[in-house]
Amino acid sequence: MVFSLKWPLAILSSIVLGVTAGLTIPDLWKVETASAQGQQPQKQPQQTQQKSSFPDVQPNYWASPFIEGLAQEDIVAGYPDGTFRPNQNIEREEFAALIRQAFEVTEKRQISSGSEFNDVPENHWAVPAIEEAYQGGFMNAFSNNKLFYPQREMTRAEAITSLAQGLQLVKVRPAATAAQAGDRTSPSSEGKRPVAKRQLAFPVAFTAMMQPLLLIQRANAQPPAQPGPSVEEPTQQSFVTKQPTRDLTAYYTDADRIPSEATDPIVAATQANIVVNHPDPSVLNPTDFLSRGSAAAMIYQSLVHAGRMEPLPENSAANQYIVEPPAQKQP
């Protein structure tokens, strides 16, 4: 019997190389048929699929581009089980940790430590983050500067106000009133003392937005430290004093629900393209709690405004949820 070699030498070489180097072997039947007909063999298209950093954030999730962008920069991390839980409400301590990861915080007021607040123990996982978020003007204290309420969920208006203040889009407001804090004590001006920086007690991947991992610390928390004396409020000259228009009806159909103290910060943040509303960009829902997905979206847009992140691609579906001033909207 005579063995007839029908395949060209190049094809046989491809088989050998494919087996030895672990490469994909071409479809020889299609190659041989095309050659016999005098045609060029067609290249098979490669199947590419975007891989999510978190199993519960699918590529078609509305905030996926924002979350993935922050994850690539190691600004956000998931829970111990690898999930991100984008629809879960974010707490103040988690938001402080997110701010710490995202921004180079410039001190505008000082405290000795994040544990200076009566409800933040010295061994609390977010002490450094709370310290920096407060000192940078992003987040305020309550109740005569004694309480931070680390586990309280943030409303959307509170989060936007926090970002507008920290980014110096508006003046930093004094500490919240007792009514806003949920107690009956009187507020006072915020302290300003030398501060010693501390590092997070755990790696970033286990601390940024990962409060449930360290719940055991709260059960064994040490007695909280007493706050230092309140002194002079920071001068307003250290902040941007440009005051935006207070007319929010041009942006939001529910502008009448916006708390009066949040009016200027929300307008300033809107003009800076920081506000992201899903599913309807014209509905702010200012008193609703902020989800982790929405928090990631607004942090991302804040970094775009600061020149730290590139805007989303023009063809990204998530762009439709970024609130734009009327002059910027396309007809």
Side-chain angles (χ1 to χ4, degrees):
M1 178 183 294
V2 178
F3 177 74
S4 175
L5 184 62
K6 297 176 62 179
W7 295 334
L9 181 59
I11 299 299
L12 294 175
S13 301
S14 298
I15 298 176
V16 175
L17 292 175
V19 172
T20 56
L23 303 176
T24 303
I25 300 175
D27 189 332
L28 299 178
W29 170 258
K30 293 182 179 179
V31 171
E32 182 182 9
T33 303
S35 300
Q37 297 176 355
Q39 302 174 359
Q40 291 294 328
Q42 296 181 353
K43 295 183 179 180
Q44 297 299 311
Q46 296 181 351
Q47 300 294 329
T48 58
Q49 185 175 5
Q50 182 182 359
K51 184 178 180 181
S52 174
S53 300
F54 308 100
D56 57 343
V57 180
Q58 299 303 315
N60 61 350
Y61 179 67
W62 75 268
S64 175
F66 303 109
I67 297 171
E68 291 297 330
L70 296 181
Q72 291 174 9
E73 298 295 325
D74 295 324
I75 294 174
V76 297
Y79 283 83
D81 61 359
T83 61
F84 184 79
R85 306 178 193 177
N87 296 320
Q88 180 173 298
N89 295 337
I90 195 168
E91 298 177 352
R92 283 172 56 83
E93 59 192 2
E94 292 180 311
F95 196 74
L98 186 53
I99 287 171
R100 188 178 196 263
Q101 291 301 114
F103 303 104
E104 294 294 332
V105 177
T106 301
E107 294 183 9
K108 302 178 181 68
R109 52 192 179 188
Q110 294 179 324
I111 52 175
S112 62
S113 167
S115 63
E116 183 170 296
F117 304 112
N118 286 352
D119 55 353
V120 181
E122 290 183 358
N123 63 347
H124 190 283
W125 70 274
V127 162
I130 291 172
E131 176 183 335
E132 292 191 21
Y134 176 83
Q135 291 185 143
F138 282 92
M139 302 182 75
N140 290 329
F142 305 96
S143 188
N144 199 26
N145 232 35
K146 294 179 180 179
L147 300 174
F148 186 80
Y149 295 104
Q151 299 174 40
R152 192 175 73 176
E153 296 174 336
M154 294 190 73
T155 66
R156 294 175 56 82
E158 290 172 341
I160 296 171
T161 298
S162 170
L163 293 172
Q165 290 185 166
L167 294 173
Q168 303 184 31
L169 302 180
V170 293
K171 298 177 182 179
V172 171
R173 292 183 178 274
T177 64
Q180 293 167 334
D183 68 329
R184 300 174 183 273
T185 56
S186 301
S188 69
S189 60
E190 298 162 11
K192 185 176 182 181
R193 299 193 297 161
V195 60
K197 283 285 184 181
R198 301 188 198 178
Q199 298 298 321
L200 288 170
F202 297 87
V204 168
F206 290 94
T207 53
M209 304 182 74
M210 289 179 59
Q211 163 263 345
L213 179 62
L214 302 170
L215 288 175
I216 188 66
Q217 289 190 353
R218 294 171 181 160
N220 302 322
Q222 299 176 1
Q226 293 299 317
S230 297
V231 292
E232 181 183 6
E233 176 71 16
T235 60
Q236 299 293 358
Q237 284 78 5
S238 57
F239 306 101
V240 173
T241 56
K242 179 182 177 181
Q243 295 300 306
T245 175
R246 297 176 63 88
D247 184 13
L248 285 162
T249 58
Y251 308 111
Y252 307 111
T253 58
D254 56 349
D256 58 331
R257 295 179 54 199
I258 297 175
S260 59
E261 67 274 7
T263 299
D264 285 350
I266 289 177
V267 174
T270 302
Q271 292 177 339
N273 297 121
I274 289 173
V275 182
V276 183
N277 295 335
H278 175 270
D280 185 350
S282 67
V283 180
L284 181 62
N285 291 319
T287 57
D288 288 1
F289 290 125
L290 181 72
S291 70
R292 287 165 56 88
S294 293
M298 293 191 193
I299 290 290
Y300 185 99
Q301 286 300 114
S302 297
L303 292 170
V304 171
H305 172 77
R308 293 264 320 279
M309 297 284 286
E310 291 294 327
L312 295 180
E314 293 184 2
N315 62 350
S316 175
N319 282 317
Q320 63 183 304
Y321 306 119
I322 301 172
V323 181
E324 296 180 349
Q328 295 183 19
K329 292 183 178 180
Q330 299 296 326

